Amino acid sequence: MTAHSTLAFTLYPYARSADQDRAEPAYHKVVVVGGGPVGLAMALDLGLRGVPVLVLDDNEGVGEGSRAICFSKRCLEICDRLGAAGPMMGKGVVWNVGKVFHDDRLLYEFNLSPEGGHAFPAFINLQQPYFEKYLHDAILAAQAKGSPIEMRGGNRVTQVTPDATGATLQIDTRDGPYSLRTDWLVACDGARSPLRGMLGLNFDGRVFEDNFLIADVRMQASFPTERWFWFEPHFKSGASALLHKQPDDVWRIDFQLGWDIDRKAELDPAKIRARVDAMLGPDVSYDLVWTSIYTFQCRRMDRFRHGRVLFAGDSAHQVSPFGARGANSGLQDVDNLGWKLAAVMAGQAPDALLDSYDSERVHGADENILNSSRATDFITPKSKVSKLFRDAVLGLAATLPFARTIVNSGRLSVPCTYDGSTLNGPDHAAMPPRSRPGSACPDAPTPEGWLLNRLTQGFTLLTIDAHAPDSLTAQGQILPRLALTATPELTARYLGQAKSAIYLIRPDHHVAARWETYDEPAVTQAFARALGKE
Amino acid sequence: MLITAPNLSRPDDSYARLIALHDGLSEDESHALNARLILILMNQIGDDAVLAQAMELAKKPT
Ligand SMILES: Cc1cc2nc3c(=O)[nH]c(=O)nc-3n(C[C@H](O)[C@H](O)[C@H](O)COP(=O)(O)OP(=O)(O)OC[C@H]3O[C@@H](n4cnc5c(N)ncnc54)[C@H](O)[C@@H]3O)c2cc1C
């Protein structure tokens, strides 16, 4: 991947900190390394829970270039919990329809538009720099309200020495080096993770032998707001091609170039324009906003937790972009880790709770790697036989609907369900599978607003047409109740065939356990389990 | 469950049809046709567990 030389937004310019003048390393409770989307969201999640957090980033803001453009419903729900979704929705482009072409034929179209009764759409398109800026704006707003978040730009971590109670960091700045001591370290330093390298940890997986040219162009065009994907396009600009709208009249164009290419020659603007012209036709005028050539890989670390050092986002796992599972899964890491780290630090949960971050998010990463590898294998068949079958599928798909279900130009990111997690408690057979223990709560309208907005920052006991006390004290905490009466949406999403329901919901809005009626010992036990006490 | 007991209504006719299908085709065309045929039959079978058994069986050298 190419390094960013210029900044799209300067967000956290370097400023000398008093820590740099101390003789002894200054002490911090949590240090997050990396201020990309994952590091920013991590700081926000912890800060909003009152956990003091320091973010170190070697840059001073967001680099030029879009990279991620598709942000999923689940990602937006998480950002909403963090107070950042409003501007994302304001700026982002909502889309639901995708079309898949082979040569000059439309094979099929899909509509992601989910059922009604959700606060957020299936996807918005938004340039990654905006996504990061809005997260940073939310940090500024949280800081103004007293959240203990500190950002330090121009701070490059050069050395890390972990031990049983935390880690010591060496940091380089333009004023010279200094060091810090922290109880917990969250490494959000991206796919090339220098921290992972410093700790000598592996990052194994597959490299896909193909190059993709990404060109973001600005144009006034009448193409609809849809995802268009071509296999073997008739305009011959690549082995596959993608066209997708972003805000500010910018369109993402993506061409599959093959393995043996001359990168430098391919990045010549004249050559890029020839490819884009062939696709758009001779009469469309446009500006090249950003171009880059990528090779893609699917890989992850063996474990995301190494004692007091936790890896999140691209530093822990990397996928190809087909499926939009990079940043979207990084935000799910944050969602999973934030409450657990806060609970362990506050002594409300045992250290073992953090092992469930590892097992649940490794499960999520494996799901993403599987989906993303399959899509990449379909787009870039890796042998003669796989190309033979791929082409047979495309040939049949023009006329036979069954073959369209096999065509894979990316299975788009859906929330991960933590099936089999050690934190999960009892399930109830009459209730819908979609809200089984481990799954992210489906949103639903309620008379007082969206369901997800009514869940508390900690655990919530959601009751539907059920008797239960207004709150329960268990595990040294108060478990507040949200009492609702059935609506068609709540029945479809939570009750199923059951007459009533009690849901124990985690702070990351995943279901921990569910019952038909309230049983205090059972709820107390499931609560203990969800806190990693079993 | 994968059926391994005889199940073809007209074994000789079906087999002759399969061979005749490839008459006059180049090797590449034959491979492409076989791929389409496998996909069509896969859809007819549908059940992933049965397909897995069939693929396992096909992998074994006889
Ligand atoms: C072409 C392309 C398209 C994509 N499309 C999508 C999409 O549509 N949807 C999606 O969800 N994802 C997409 N992705 C993936 C997405 O861009 C990444 O998953 C996301 O940026 C990961 O965020 P991160 O915060 O983990 O890492 P990064 O964004 O890489 O941030 C890491 C940060 O750490 C800092 N850092 C590194 N080393 C140090 C150090 N030693 N000291 C201090 N700071 C350091 C860096 O400066 C950087 O700010 C796409 C990626 C590509 C390449």
Side-chain angles (χ1 to χ4, degrees):
Chain A
M1 297 191 193
T2 44
H4 301 304
S5 45
T6 46
L7 290 184
F9 302 109
T10 299
L11 300 178
Y12 31 84
Y14 171 75
R16 197 180 169 85
S17 143
D19 284 358
Q20 290 167 252
D21 299 318
R22 288 183 219 277
E24 289 296 304
Y27 164 78
H28 291 265
K29 281 186 178 323
V30 183
V31 170
V32 170
V33 180
V38 177
L40 292 171
M42 192 72 246
L44 201 45
D45 197 316
L46 291 169
L48 290 171
R49 295 182 190 283
V51 176
V53 53
L54 169 66
V55 183
L56 305 173
D57 192 279
D58 53 353
N59 285 315
E60 298 185 297
V62 194
E64 255 343 315
S66 307
R67 295 210 282 158
I69 59 165
C70 298
F71 293 95
S72 72
K73 175 170 179 293
R74 181 66 195 147
C75 179
L76 292 166
E77 288 169 353
I78 295 167
C79 290
D80 194 35
R81 186 172 63 70
L82 301 177
M88 293 174 183
M89 288 302 296
K91 185 79 188 175
V93 174
V94 175
W95 64 276
N96 289 306
V97 173
K99 288 191 175 135
V100 178
F101 302 87
H102 181 210
D103 198 349
D104 58 353
R105 280 182 311 199
L106 173 65
L107 290 186
Y108 68 98
E109 79 179 70
F110 56 82
N111 192 336
L112 295 170
S113 156
E115 54 191 2
H118 289 266
F120 293 98
F123 275 95
I124 63 166
N125 281 3
L126 182 70
Q127 291 90 329
Q128 183 165 334
Y130 283 121
F131 184 80
E132 295 184 34
K133 182 178 186 303
Y134 298 147
L135 283 171
H136 187 260
D137 288 346
I139 287 180
L140 295 178
Q143 284 170 330
K145 287 190 198 148
S147 284
I149 306 172
E150 191 190 341
M151 302 280 315
R152 288 186 199 164
N155 276 242
R156 179 192 301 273
V157 176
T158 56
Q159 205 182 311
V160 54
T161 316
D163 55 48
T165 58
T168 306
L169 299 175
Q170 285 293 326
I171 297 153
D172 238 1
T173 71
R174 68 186 62 144
D175 290 331
Y178 71 106
S179 63
L180 284 182
R181 172 81 204 154
T182 184
D183 285 348
W184 297 94
L185 181 62
V186 190
C188 307
D189 53 343
R192 289 176 173 175
S193 179
L195 290 184
R196 198 181 57 222
M198 291 171 206
L199 295 175
L201 298 168
N202 66 341
F203 197 44
D204 295 329
R206 283 176 62 194
V207 177
F208 291 92
E209 297 198 340
D210 214 328
N211 289 285
F212 288 81
L213 169 70
I214 315 270
D216 280 353
V217 308
R218 185 176 291 110
M219 62 178 172
Q220 308 279 332
S222 54
F223 302 109
T225 307
E226 298 172 349
R227 178 186 193 263
W228 285 8
F229 190 97
W230 287 262
F231 291 98
E232 302 177 322
H234 58 96
F235 44 81
K236 310 262 181 253
S237 304
S240 69
L242 176 88
L243 178 70
H244 215 174
K245 192 179 193 334
Q246 306 173 48
D248 301 338
D249 294 320
V250 174
W251 298 73
R252 165 66 49 91
I253 296 177
D254 186 321
F255 297 124
Q256 181 185 353
L257 300 187
W259 187 229
D260 287 317
I261 60 159
D262 178 345
R263 280 177 79 95
K264 213 170 147 238
E266 291 298 347
L267 281 168
D268 175 0
K271 186 131 197 219
I272 294 174
R273 281 187 164 275
R275 290 184 188 273
V276 175
D277 289 348
M279 177 190 211
L280 300 177
D283 308 327
V284 180
S285 70
Y286 57 87
D287 300 321
L288 292 176
V289 178
W290 176 68
T291 58
S292 186
I293 290 180
Y294 289 92
T295 55
F296 295 129
Q297 19 231 308
C298 284
R299 51 187 181 168
R300 70 161 168 89
M301 297 178 73
D302 282 343
R303 284 178 294 126
F304 298 171
R305 177 179 189 194
H306 293 267
R308 295 233 164 179
V309 185
L310 299 138
F311 288 81
D314 275 15
S315 70
H317 46 74
Q318 198 184 5
V319 291
S320 79
F322 304 105
R325 289 165 183 267
N328 287 316
S329 69
L331 267 283
Q332 292 178 64
D333 291 347
V334 167
D335 198 35
N336 193 289
L337 181 54
W339 70 271
K340 291 177 180 175
L341 187 53
V344 170
M345 290 175 72
Q348 292 169 340
D351 179 85
L353 180 61
L354 287 169
D355 293 337
S356 74
Y357 164 69
D358 184 79
S359 54
E360 291 186 336
R361 292 311 302 161
V362 161
H363 171 78
D366 283 346
E367 195 173 279
N368 289 322
I369 288 171
L370 182 69
N371 278 291
S372 166
S373 301
R374 285 174 172 174
T376 312
D377 280 339
F378 195 88
I379 294 165
T380 303
K382 65 178 188 298
S383 67
K384 255 184 97 174
V385 180
S386 65
K387 172 102 167 56
L388 182 78
F389 276 110
R390 199 286 298 267
D391 291 347
V393 169
L394 292 176
L396 295 175
T399 51
L400 296 171
F402 89 81
R404 292 169 202 161
T405 63
I406 309 176
V407 174
N408 190 346
S409 71
R411 301 275 180 245
L412 291 161
S413 178
V414 289
C416 177
T417 299
Y418 304 129
D419 282 322
S421 170
T422 54
L423 305 190
N424 292 350
D427 192 6
H428 193 283
M431 295 180 192
R434 66 189 284 185
S435 46
R436 65 189 181 276
S439 53
C441 288
D443 206 358
T446 77
E448 287 81 25
W450 295 105
L451 171 61
L452 295 185
N453 289 148
R454 300 189 60 196
L455 299 173
T456 57
Q457 201 185 47
F459 279 81
T460 305
L461 196 67
L462 167 68
T463 67
I464 303 170
D465 291 340
H467 296 288
D470 283 339
S471 77
L472 166 71
T473 303
Q475 309 304 328
Q477 295 178 53
I478 294 170
L479 182 59
R481 172 189 180 194
L482 174 62
L484 299 176
T485 46
T487 61
E489 289 89 355
L490 289 174
T491 301
R493 296 168 201 181
Y494 288 92
L495 282 181
Q497 306 303 313
K499 299 232 163 357
S500 60
I502 309 276
Y503 276 79
L504 178 64
I505 295 171
R506 305 179 352 179
D508 56 6
H509 300 174
H510 279 253
V511 174
R514 58 184 183 177
W515 304 265
E516 188 154 23
T517 53
Y518 182 75
D519 171 356
E520 186 155 321
V523 172
T524 306
Q525 197 192 354
F527 190 24
R529 195 172 160 82
L531 284 168
K533 293 188 178 180
E534 276 183 18
Chain B
M1 261 303 274
L2 183 72
I3 303 169
T4 51
N7 190 44
L8 294 164
S9 60
R10 301 169 72 89
D12 289 352
D13 288 349
S14 300
Y15 187 72
R17 195 186 306 284
L18 177 66
I19 301 303
L21 191 60
H22 290 270
D23 278 353
L25 298 187
S26 70
E27 201 172 321
D28 282 353
E29 287 167 340
S30 267
H31 282 312
L33 185 148
N34 278 339
R36 288 195 295 275
L37 186 61
I38 289 173
L39 291 165
I40 290 166
L41 295 176
M42 257 176 63
N43 184 60
Q44 179 70 34
I45 293 167
D47 186 341
D48 181 59
V50 176
L51 288 169
Q53 287 175 345
M55 290 181 197
E56 209 41 51
L57 190 62
K59 206 167 81 181
K60 277 194 207 133
T62 42

